[in-house]
Amino acid sequence: MADDTLALLRQVENVAALAALRGRIDEQGKVYVMDFDTGGYRSQRVLVRVTGQGPNGKPMLTIYSPARLVPRRWWRWLSRKEAIEILRLNESMRFARYGLADTPEGMLVVVSADMVLETLDADELRIHAYAVAHAADRYEAQFGSDQF
Amino acid sequence: MQPPVQAAVPIDDHARWRYPADARLLAEIMASDAIRSRLGSPAYELARQTSRTGMLAGAVMVDPGVLPHLAEAVEGIRREFPQVQHVDCFVYNSGDMNAFITPGRTGTFIALASAAVNHLDAAELQYVLGHEFGHAAFGHLDVLAGALLADPALPPAEATRICAWQRAAEISADRMGLAVCGSLTAAARALFKVASGIVSNLVVASPESFAAQWQRLVDEVITEGDRGFHHISHPFPPLRMRAMLLFSEAMAAGGGERIDAANEAIDGMLAMMEPAGRGGTLADPLLRDLFFWGGLLVALADGYVSPSEWQRLATVTPPGIDLAATAAAAATDDAPCWERFTAAFRGRRKKFTGLELHRVMYGLHDVASADGTVSDGEMARLRQLAERLGVVPEACDHIAEQYQRERQRDGR
């Protein structure tokens, strides 16, 4: 991993410690990984990655959690109705948003939020981490799985 | 040319006049793949040429038939820098008291603003010219920082490193300016005139009073919680003056370890302009008061300050505070320490970021762990301090674990 990215992830680790959130740096995946107990014997993985620069070149972070993988061969399975449902959920969601990410395995429904690392405080990280974890888990639970 | 008063290092021993961080950061920059690839790019070469042609288009060359006094001064200084190839000096029309140096095709160009030529006396001009020659002598012209920084794709960490190097390079160049003009007073006057634009002959700008502005600036920066200085190419003028004063005093005292101590002090001053998180655990100057008063409270949680805790606290003791007397008084009544800690936290105008609060708590763990263990009393004190900062008590346990983990990882 590039030294810069590792240094930034260490800063994420520092704010996470201040927020009393446990996690670890995955050097291979270039992410900071946290696991949340979302209740009802369910759990949700939340990741933080460095996603570029905001105003004044300040490093931006994206905190995200995978909610559902739609394998490529089943692309049609994400129906128009489901896509509209995601937009509807976005409208009423606070502190995060649903989105679709292309991955080698297929289309991934993710819940994510963006933050500026330099001004990130413990409460902000905690609020976003919980919001992302719970929204992703709620979405995943609709399909009866707890893969993520 | 006269050497500075009681110079302990010969004026032509340029390497020893150089501020060590300048050489170190330049080496780091030249070793960076991201920067090396850009130094060879067509865009970089174009920027170099543009800077050169821009000057040729709007400036007049200094030669003995046009400006004899200036041509003579330039030639006199050039002889002190044999490694600087063929120098051409130009004057351009500008009210800004400025000067710069840039590489030409076959030599080096020095450009002086007309305001500098009009308003600086001979010694002040020598300081400015010596400063510019210093840039050339130290290899600063190998990197056209402005062209690199103009690249929006340059990684931010590299941009930060380049700016830190530029500031360190200014300290080296100031030393050569001082060496060439041979007078700290003239150097102070020149620096003051260039920074302020005030050209009156009534300018006194004593080195000591100019340098003393540094502490007032530090207090203001700490109170403001301002960290927006890391992209600035030049150190604060009072910092430059204080750096020259420290160096000059070290030279007068015989050089050697005194110069090392001066360089260390200048490292600490320049750290004020670094982004958060650079340097060691207790190295953030903006958090110094929290480290000191909080650290003293942590150390005294067991009733006494151990020698290793003492060592840590000595690195963050604020100016004007006697550590021994303060620790002795705090051992019987720690209320003033709490007051100072709280004042340092609440007195700041800008909200503390998560990274800053983590750095404070991590630094306080470092003091608590200095003697190898963190007692229950110290841990309880850390939680109290965390509460005072609005940090949840559980964070103390996380940071304690993190501190131990990183200590093992780094073999500390």
Side-chain angles (χ1 to χ4, degrees):
Chain A
M1 184 180 343
D3 284 352
D4 289 350
T5 307
L6 182 59
L8 294 174
L9 289 177
R10 290 220 166 107
Q11 293 185 21
V12 173
E13 184 179 39
N14 292 345
V15 182
L18 194 73
L21 297 173
R22 282 191 196 283
R24 64 183 170 82
I25 294 173
D26 173 354
E27 294 200 20
Q28 210 170 6
K30 299 182 185 176
V31 286
Y32 184 72
V33 184
M34 296 175 281
D35 289 313
F36 288 86
D37 179 346
T38 44
Y41 303 103
R42 294 182 62 82
S43 65
Q44 192 66 29
R45 176 155 289 190
V46 173
L47 306 102
V48 185
R49 69 168 190 262
V50 181
T51 40
Q53 296 169 34
N56 302 327
K58 291 177 179 171
M60 293 287 302
L61 304 172
T62 296
I63 182 166
Y64 66 103
S65 182
R68 180 187 172 202
L69 178 68
V70 185
R72 203 162 288 285
R73 63 183 182 281
W74 293 345
W75 165 237
R76 286 171 184 279
W77 194 51
L78 187 71
S79 64
R80 182 171 174 275
K81 187 180 163 193
E82 284 173 325
I84 289 172
E85 173 65 5
I86 286 175
L87 288 176
R88 195 185 61 75
L89 288 169
N90 265 345
E91 202 287 320
S92 58
M93 178 126 79
R94 301 292 172 258
F95 304 113
R97 81 247 160 172
Y98 286 97
L100 300 173
D102 266 324
T103 73
E105 293 80 27
M107 185 68 74
L108 193 64
V109 179
V110 291
V111 182
S112 62
D114 301 319
M115 297 166 293
V116 178
L117 173 60
E118 192 178 288
T119 52
L120 180 64
D121 66 30
D123 284 342
E124 186 186 2
L125 180 63
R126 200 182 300 115
I127 286 168
H128 280 106
Y130 280 110
V132 163
H134 283 277
D137 189 60
R138 259 198 323 272
Y139 187 84
E140 190 183 6
Q142 290 178 45
F143 300 91
S145 74
D146 192 15
Q147 185 188 348
F148 302 107
Chain B
M1 181 186 311
Q2 59 183 97
V5 184
Q6 297 175 42
V9 177
I11 194 168
D12 56 355
D13 190 353
H14 298 152
R16 292 183 66 197
W17 284 79
R18 189 173 193 176
Y19 172 49
D22 158 26
R24 177 176 51 77
L25 287 164
L26 181 57
E28 282 179 26
I29 285 170
M30 297 307 260
S32 153
D33 290 339
I35 291 176
R36 273 213 312 266
S37 63
R38 284 171 169 82
L39 291 179
S41 72
Y44 181 81
E45 188 46 39
L46 181 65
R48 264 185 115 95
Q49 285 176 18
T50 307
S51 137
R52 207 162 49 219
T53 49
M55 188 172 66
L56 289 170
V60 292
M61 189 185 274
V62 173
D63 69 40
V66 180
L67 284 161
H69 76 290
L70 190 54
E72 196 180 316
V74 172
E75 181 53 25
I77 296 168
R78 194 197 59 74
R79 280 196 291 271
E80 297 290 339
F81 296 87
Q83 70 273 52
V84 182
Q85 297 295 307
H86 184 81
V87 178
D88 284 324
C89 183
F90 290 81
V91 176
Y92 61 98
N93 185 355
S94 172
D96 290 339
M97 208 139 24
N98 212 344
F100 67 91
I101 188 163
T102 188
R105 265 185 221 289
T106 55
T108 307
F109 293 160
I110 287 187
L112 287 166
S114 51
V117 179
N118 289 337
H119 299 302
L120 297 178
D121 67 24
E124 293 161 0
L125 209 48
Q126 278 194 320
Y127 166 79
V128 170
L129 288 167
H131 175 103
E132 298 306 332
F133 270 92
H135 280 310
F138 292 136
H140 299 162
L141 307 188
D142 294 347
V143 178
L144 196 57
L148 292 170
L149 292 169
D151 179 353
L154 184 73
E158 298 297 353
T160 300
R161 203 198 312 267
I162 290 172
C163 293
W165 165 66
Q166 285 182 300
R167 293 190 291 272
E170 290 303 318
I171 300 292
S172 291
D174 281 348
R175 290 179 180 185
M176 288 323 300
L178 179 61
V180 164
C181 83
S183 158
L184 193 62
T185 312
R189 262 194 338 262
L191 190 57
F192 183 88
K193 286 183 177 178
V194 169
S196 69
I198 298 171
V199 295
S200 161
N201 286 334
L202 299 175
V203 168
V204 178
S206 89
E208 290 77 14
S209 50
F210 191 2
Q213 292 179 2
W214 169 242
Q215 194 48 51
R216 295 218 299 274
L217 190 63
V218 168
D219 293 342
E220 179 62 20
V221 169
I222 290 175
T223 308
E224 204 58 49
D226 220 333
R227 291 191 186 272
F229 305 114
H230 57 272
H231 61 280
I232 297 174
S233 64
H234 284 55
F236 304 119
L239 189 160
R240 290 172 64 180
M241 189 62 244
R242 179 142 181 78
M244 273 198 284
L245 184 63
L246 287 172
F247 183 73
S248 176
E249 287 171 351
M251 290 286 246
E257 288 176 6
R258 288 292 302 270
I259 292 182
D260 294 342
N263 287 335
E264 257 180 58
I266 295 163
D267 290 345
M269 286 153 55
L270 282 172
M272 192 65 89
M273 298 184 75
E274 290 285 317
R278 306 263 289 196
T281 304
L282 293 167
D284 190 333
L286 266 66
L287 305 177
R288 183 198 59 206
D289 286 11
L290 290 168
F291 287 142
F292 179 75
W293 297 107
L296 193 54
L297 285 163
V298 169
L300 285 169
D302 292 336
Y304 73 104
V305 181
S306 74
S308 43
E309 288 168 338
W310 189 277
Q311 236 174 0
R312 299 268 210 289
L313 289 172
T315 65
V316 289
T317 305
I321 298 284
D322 179 336
L323 175 56
T326 307
T332 51
D333 178 15
D334 66 8
C337 293
W338 281 105
E339 280 168 25
R340 299 292 289 265
F341 181 79
T342 308
F345 180 60
R346 294 202 180 139
R348 202 169 91 159
R349 295 188 192 116
K350 193 177 277 181
K351 183 187 171 193
F352 284 84
T353 66
L355 289 169
E356 285 178 314
L357 290 174
H358 177 272
R359 207 166 305 123
V360 172
M361 291 310 302
Y362 197 89
L364 298 181
H365 272 86
D366 189 52
V367 175
S369 309
D371 52 7
T373 55
V374 180
S375 68
D376 290 346
E378 286 173 327
M379 201 62 203
R381 182 59 57 84
L382 284 165
R383 288 202 184 92
Q384 284 178 302
L385 288 161
E387 197 179 344
R388 193 67 63 107
L389 299 176
V391 172
V392 293
E394 298 81 26
C396 274
D397 302 321
H398 286 248
I399 293 169
E401 285 169 28
Q402 186 192 17
Y403 183 86
Q404 293 306 328
R405 204 169 53 239
E406 291 180 2
R407 198 149 93 151
Q408 282 172 0
R409 186 192 66 202
D410 301 340
R412 280 183 277 160

